[in-house]
């Protein structure tokens, strides 16, 4: 049974973290995800898949007041790893950014100044398209987090879990969109 001291310590720790407000107006869209289905171009061109490995276009709007930067991720919660699969992680997007063009994750379009990609679950920065095993559909989620800090204090080789932890501690609002994909 947890002790009162444990609850007090937890409450103190949580009081140091800003609360995430899922502002109803903060939204993310993507033409590639608009139909609710991952498009062929967003599938990988490795691991048995024959897509273009093209990161989708991502647009966000109505960030909350006080936003100083953004983090954008693409995640497959259904990957058969026990922990899902991170397909793309972009940090330090400036507060005036409102989109990432299709192909940005593979160098076909430029990141905004100051932004950087950190490693995915492949161990390298950059976009890796969908490539689920044969079988049921997988749910691919684009998440944009509006942060109250200019730069995410993580190293260039930070894992997706570390980026998620630190960005969640500094999030002002979160917006998501999902699409299904299968072979």
């Amino acid at each position: 049974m947890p002790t009162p001291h444990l609850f007090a310590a937890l409450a103190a720790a949580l009081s140091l973290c800003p609360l995430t407000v899922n502002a109803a107006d903060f939204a993310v869209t993507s033409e590639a995800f608009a139909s609710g289905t991952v498009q062929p171009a967003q599938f990988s061109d490795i691991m048995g898949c024959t897509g273009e490995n093209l990161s989708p276009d991502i647009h966000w709007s109505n960030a909350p007041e006080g936003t100083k930067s953004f983090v954008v991720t693409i995640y497959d919660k259904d990957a058969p790893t026990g922990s899902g699969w991170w397909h793309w992680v972009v940090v330090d997007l400036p507060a005036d950014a409102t989109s990432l063009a299709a192909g940005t994750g593979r160098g076909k379009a430029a990141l905004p100044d100051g932004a950087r990609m950190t490693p995915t679950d492949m161990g390298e920065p950059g976009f890796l398209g969908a490539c689920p095993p044969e079988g049921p559909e997988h749910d691919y989620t684009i998440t944009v987090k509006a942060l109250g800090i200019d730069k995410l204090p993580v190293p260039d080789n930070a894992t997706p879990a570390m980026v998620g932890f630190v960005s969640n501690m500094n999030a002002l609002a979160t917006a998501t969109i999902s699409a299904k994909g299968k072979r």
Side-chain angles (χ1 to χ4, degrees):
M1 181 95 168
T3 66
H5 296 292
L6 176 62
F7 286 122
L10 181 58
L14 288 174
S15 71
L16 298 175
C17 301
L19 295 177
T20 299
V21 178
N22 286 323
D25 293 338
F26 185 45
V28 59
T29 60
S30 171
E31 289 180 28
F33 277 36
S35 70
T37 302
V38 176
Q39 299 304 300
Q42 277 73 56
F43 275 79
S44 174
D45 58 359
I46 62 171
M47 300 189 317
C49 286
T50 58
E52 296 175 37
N53 208 34
L54 188 72
S55 59
D57 64 296
I58 302 172
H59 310 269
W60 55 94
S61 59
N62 300 317
E65 187 174 329
T67 298
K68 295 182 179 178
S69 68
F70 297 95
V71 168
V72 172
T73 60
I74 298 181
Y75 176 71
D76 171 8
K77 69 178 181 64
D78 300 316
T81 65
S83 61
W85 189 271
W86 294 96
H87 287 265
W88 199 21
V89 182
V90 184
V91 302
D92 299 340
L93 288 152
D96 62 352
T98 58
S99 67
L100 290 170
T104 301
R106 302 308 295 168
K108 295 180 181 186
L111 282 172
D113 286 344
R116 59 192 169 117
M117 292 184 276
T118 59
T120 66
D121 280 338
M122 284 294 283
E124 298 177 3
F127 176 77
L128 176 65
C131 191
E134 297 284 341
E137 288 184 319
H138 284 214
D139 186 35
Y140 297 88
T141 301
I142 297 172
T143 300
V144 179
K145 293 178 193 171
L147 306 181
I149 57 175
D150 292 323
K151 299 284 183 194
L152 202 63
V154 298
D156 288 342
N157 66 347
T159 64
M162 178 59 75
V163 169
F165 179 81
V166 177
S167 64
N168 284 340
M169 294 300 107
N170 292 284
L172 302 174
T174 301
T176 63
I177 186 173
S178 294
K180 302 285 187 182
K182 70 181 247 177
R183 278 204 233 182

